[in-house]
């Protein structure tokens, strides 16, 4: 194993620490369900809703439904607002 690569446990610790850092900056993210968090992460990319649906193995209408819930919980109205508000993630 190369010296600069993380092992599994180091990766988990790093991921947990990063998640805590995000929650400190954006506490409203805790309102999102696990699936909404998955969709939220995909919305931060340039992927279409159709592509997000394919990658998460859900229907396009499910992605649309989750988007509406995400926007409501985060008090925003569009993907553009989401991208502006969470551009640092």
């Amino acid at each position: 194993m190369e010296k600069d690569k993380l092992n599994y446990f180091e990766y988990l610790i790093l991921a947990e620490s990063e998640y805590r850092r995000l929650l400190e900056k954006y506490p409203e993210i805790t309102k999102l369900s696990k699936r909404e968090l998955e969709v939220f992460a995909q919305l931060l990319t340039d992927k279409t809703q159709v592509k997000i649906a394919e990658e998460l193995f859900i229907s396009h209408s499910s992605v649309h439904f989750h988007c509406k819930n995400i926007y409501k919980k985060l008090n925003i109205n569009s993907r553009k607002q989401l991208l502006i508000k969470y551009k640092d993630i």
Side-chain angles (χ1 to χ4, degrees):
M1 183 173 181
E2 293 180 31
K3 195 172 192 175
D4 60 340
K5 288 190 178 182
L6 298 176
N7 71 35
Y8 177 75
F9 296 107
E10 291 169 330
Y11 179 78
L12 288 177
I13 291 167
L14 180 63
E16 184 179 339
S17 129
E18 180 66 12
Y19 183 66
R20 274 190 257 120
R21 184 190 67 77
L22 285 173
L23 291 182
E24 285 176 15
K25 189 169 183 178
Y26 306 106
E28 67 276 14
I29 291 175
T30 60
K31 297 176 186 176
L32 303 179
S33 70
K34 182 180 176 185
R35 181 57 98 178
E36 289 168 347
L37 275 171
E38 293 171 344
V39 173
F40 172 80
Q42 296 293 320
L43 289 171
L44 294 172
T45 69
D46 61 350
K47 296 174 186 166
T48 65
Q49 286 189 12
V50 172
K51 185 67 175 167
I52 294 170
E54 289 173 5
E55 290 191 9
L56 296 179
F57 302 103
I58 58 178
S59 69
H60 175 259
S61 61
S62 291
V63 172
H64 182 74
F65 175 79
H66 289 307
C67 287
K68 287 174 62 175
N69 288 339
I70 291 166
Y71 298 162
K72 183 177 180 180
K73 289 178 179 182
L74 299 180
N75 200 27
I76 56 177
N77 297 310
S78 67
R79 188 171 185 176
K80 183 176 181 177
Q81 286 181 337
L82 181 135
L83 290 169
I84 292 167
K85 185 173 182 179
Y86 299 99
K87 65 182 177 217
D88 298 341
I89 294 181

